[in-house]
Amino acid sequence: MVQALVLEKKGELALRDIDLPLEVGPDDVKIAIHTVGVCGSDVHYYTHGAIGSFVVREPMVLGHEAAGTVVAVGSQVKSLAVGDRVCMEPGVPNMNSRATKLGIYNVDPDVRFWATPPVHGVLTPEVVHPAAFTYKIPDNVSFAEGAMVEPFAVGLQAATRARITPGDVAVVIGCGPIGIMTALAALAGGCARVYISDLSAPKLAIAGQYPGIHPVNITQQPLAEVISRETDGWGADVIFEASGSPRAYDGLFDLMRPGGTLVLVGLPVERVNFDVPASIIKEARIETVFRYANNFDRAVNLIASGKVDLKPLISGTFDFAESIAAFDRAAKGLPDDVKLQIRLRD
Ligand SMILES: [Zn+2]
């Protein structure tokens, strides 16, 4: 038995002992978990008991944004050694699947993703994971930053999908953690400037600390007006929808230049009104993002290089013993909180 933060059922968390498999297979490593980020999806399972068709039917360990230290390696593992500091990609596909062979392992129907029912997450002192989905972090990247690689990889997937040309102007709708990660990834990918919109002034102020990110408070001015003014009436090259709000789809194409790109990152909980004629008249290219593939190493590289600093986005750190308090705070959705983290050891 090991200790873990267990979601017993909707609305009920317990820090308790649970049986988790810890045998190290030939291609696996065992990791002593250091830091785990609290994700919106973890909180949603806590408060709602389900995300879409994924329903919590039995107790499940939460947490999927993690960094730690390798403490054991399988007999076939050559890429990692005991003592390596690492972060882990939480989704493990079937290595023989058609999607995996195509390099799009994130959309493999058989993918097993931490803290997505029925798969346990990693808010527990040790986990076993395939070495192929475990990435070294250099000494100048902290465990806290290592645990930010997972959400940042979503931003990089969005920037990759956008196929940014250097000097592009981008708009990010939604200033939550993923919106900010997307804006930072768009800048790292070559955008000259990024406008980020939201209703929440505190969230916008956090994003606005970064050079190149321009906050737009849509309670004060219509986003389309700002973008038109700032682009001499031409429109932005890339629009990232990162709010998941159905309202974001109203007038979406007014933001875009002719021949621009729309990248859908935010996952609406229901169907939305999508203006097909407006998209055709602009001959928009439309891309979608589901998690990430082949972006963890790139995320680590950008953080290690100093080009992307995610530290200002860490709003609070809790000890493992205070995990439930961390989730209760995250569930409040305080406007100043971007990312809360849980530390399992010093
Ligand atoms: Zn996450």
Side-chain angles (χ1 to χ4, degrees):
M1 299 283 259
V2 293
Q3 234 200 359
L5 181 70
V6 180
L7 176 61
E8 306 285 6
K9 57 181 196 289
K10 174 181 157 179
E12 188 183 330
L13 288 170
L15 198 56
R16 65 154 166 101
D17 283 348
I18 187 171
D19 234 345
L20 295 175
L22 280 171
E23 314 87 74
V24 181
D27 298 311
D28 295 335
V29 292
K30 188 193 275 184
I31 302 127
I33 298 286
H34 186 284
T35 300
V36 179
V38 177
C39 182
S41 68
D42 295 309
V43 175
H44 202 84
Y45 283 122
Y46 174 35
T47 55
H48 291 75
I51 295 178
S53 56
F54 293 99
V55 181
V56 179
R57 298 187 197 283
E58 47 202 279
M60 177 179 81
V61 178
L62 290 175
H64 64 260
E65 305 180 355
T69 305
V70 174
V71 291
V73 298
S75 56
Q76 303 290 330
V77 174
K78 302 206 168 58
S79 56
L80 293 166
V82 169
D84 282 344
R85 300 167 69 255
V86 293
C87 62
M88 291 75 78
E89 191 165 356
V92 178
N94 171 355
M95 295 306 278
N96 297 310
S97 76
R98 224 164 145 168
T100 302
K101 286 197 290 178
L102 286 167
I104 51 171
Y105 61 86
N106 54 322
V107 287
D108 178 9
D110 290 338
V111 75
R112 291 175 54 81
F113 197 93
W114 281 340
T116 301
V119 182
H120 286 302
V122 294
L123 272 160
T124 182
E126 289 190 334
V127 300
V128 171
H129 201 58
F133 294 88
T134 303
Y135 302 83
K136 260 191 255 194
I137 54 176
D139 289 342
N140 70 333
V141 176
S142 65
F143 288 116
E145 292 172 281
M148 296 288 270
V149 166
E150 195 272 345
F152 185 50
V154 178
L156 282 184
Q157 184 84 357
T160 306
R161 285 279 173 273
R163 289 185 237 145
I164 291 161
T165 300
D168 273 353
V169 173
V171 175
V172 175
I173 300 170
C175 196
I178 294 299
I180 298 176
M181 299 286 180
T182 300
L184 291 170
L187 285 175
C191 282
R193 55 188 197 276
V194 179
Y195 297 88
I196 190 163
S197 69
D198 207 283
L199 305 149
S200 163
K203 287 187 197 303
L204 290 166
I206 293 165
Q209 295 172 62
Y210 289 98
I213 299 185
H214 303 269
V216 180
N217 192 327
I218 56 170
T219 65
Q220 287 162 11
Q221 41 190 347
L223 181 58
E225 219 171 276
V226 175
I227 300 307
S228 175
R229 186 178 71 228
E230 298 288 322
T231 60
D232 298 325
W234 174 238
D237 300 289
V238 184
I239 317 297
F240 296 97
E241 201 311 287
S243 72
S245 164
R247 276 170 301 164
Y249 286 81
D250 293 335
L252 191 55
F253 293 98
D254 296 344
L255 308 170
M256 183 190 286
R257 73 159 167 90
T261 301
L262 170 64
V263 184
L264 302 179
V265 191
L267 185 64
V269 289
E270 56 214 57
R271 291 183 184 203
V272 299
N273 247 326
F274 192 90
D275 192 343
V276 174
S279 73
I280 289 178
I281 288 163
K282 290 248 164 108
E283 205 177 49
R285 179 164 60 86
I286 297 161
E287 300 275 351
T288 58
V289 169
F290 183 66
R291 296 173 180 156
Y292 33 70
N294 301 305
N295 272 316
F296 256 58
D297 45 358
R298 293 168 190 280
V300 172
N301 286 343
L302 279 168
I303 297 165
S305 74
K307 285 190 174 167
V308 175
D309 181 8
L310 302 176
K311 293 189 290 292
L313 305 179
I314 301 167
S315 318
T317 307
F318 292 71
D319 285 335
F320 188 38
E322 266 89 65
S323 294
I324 296 174
F327 270 79
D328 285 333
R329 173 156 147 197
K332 283 190 196 138
L334 302 180
D336 285 313
D337 281 349
V338 181
K339 178 61 68 182
L340 301 177
Q341 293 189 326
I342 296 170
R343 195 154 57 188
L344 286 92
R345 61 193 82 226
D346 289 327

